[in-house]
Amino acid sequence: MSLLDGAQLPLLLAVVALVVAVLAFWVANGAKGAAGKDLESLRQKTGALGREVDELRVSQFNRADAGASDGAGSGATAARYRAEKDAYERIWPQLWQLHERLGMFVRAVENGEPAGDLRLEARNAALDARNLLNRNRPFCSETVDELVTRLIDTEIKVHLAACQHLDLLKEVSGAPSDHDRRVLRDKCHALYEGEARDLMNRLAEAIRTRVINVSYS
């Protein structure tokens, strides 16, 4: 009790107050540090969440863009397919008409029948087929284009050979020899029944393949 009396009491109270203040400061610093750590952790989690959201948005945008690209690509492929198919639907009937008219002309010449009109029809059919191919060539495959070109050229050769045969029969200066007529007849048959028919079959198969199994890269 003597220690609490007199001049020692204020000093003791000051020491106690100082200890309390130090303890309070230490506790406050500890609480501040914990709060700072919690705040930093919260900031890191918020940043990570923001990055995840951004990545999700980017991935969704990329998928939407890819879907739009695929749709545009599919549309372009379908348009190319329709254009090519339409070209074949225009070309094939004209080629068949050419082959048919030419066959009628050749048979008329061989049988000695009037063939003037058939000669002109076959010629016009060949010209029409050539013009039709030229207009539709950009839409044809390389294989079909080549086969159509070769077929028209072969049909024209048949037409020229049949015209030579017809002109030979019309000559009045002298009767054509059996050999000359046989050569021209054999040439017409070889071109028409052989090469032209083979090209027609190959062309039909090529068109069928393109229309049914077409694939664009």
Side-chain angles (χ1 to χ4, degrees), residues 14-173:
V15 171
V16 172
L18 178 62
V19 171
V20 172
V22 171
L23 290 175
F25 180 76
W26 180 80
V27 171
N29 283 340
K32 184 178 180 181
K37 291 181 179 179
D38 292 341
L39 181 60
E40 181 63 24
S41 176
L42 181 60
R43 287 177 179 174
Q44 292 178 356
K45 291 180 179 179
T46 302
L49 180 60
R51 288 191 297 271
E52 291 178 359
V53 172
D54 290 341
E55 292 175 357
L56 179 61
R57 289 175 178 173
V58 171
S59 63
Q60 290 176 343
F61 176 82
N62 290 337
R63 285 199 297 269
D65 184 63
S69 298
D70 292 343
S74 299
T77 298
R80 290 196 299 271
Y81 172 80
R82 287 194 299 270
E84 184 174 350
K85 183 173 181 290
D86 291 344
Y88 298 155
E89 289 177 348
R90 287 187 291 267
I91 292 174
W92 177 259
Q94 184 60 44
L95 293 175
W96 182 255
Q97 182 179 2
L98 167 60
H99 192 70
E100 184 180 47
R101 292 291 185 272
L102 187 60
M104 295 171 62
F105 174 50
V106 170
R107 287 190 292 273
V109 172
E110 291 180 349
N111 296 330
E113 300 172 352
D117 291 341
L118 293 175
R119 176 178 185 172
L120 182 59
E121 290 178 4
R123 176 182 180 277
N124 291 337
L127 293 176
D128 291 341
R130 177 78 73 188
N131 292 333
L132 196 60
L133 172 62
N134 290 336
R135 290 197 302 269
N136 291 275
R137 177 170 277 124
F139 310 109
C140 298
S141 72
E142 183 177 353
T143 299
V144 171
D145 183 9
E146 179 184 358
L147 288 173
V148 173
T149 301
R150 290 178 56 189
L151 175 60
I152 294 175
D153 290 344
T154 301
E155 301 277 24
I156 290 176
K157 292 178 183 178
V158 175
H159 185 266
L160 292 176
C163 288
Q164 289 177 348
H165 192 183
L166 180 62
D167 293 340
L168 186 62
L169 294 175
K170 291 180 178 180
E171 288 183 358
V172 295
S173 58

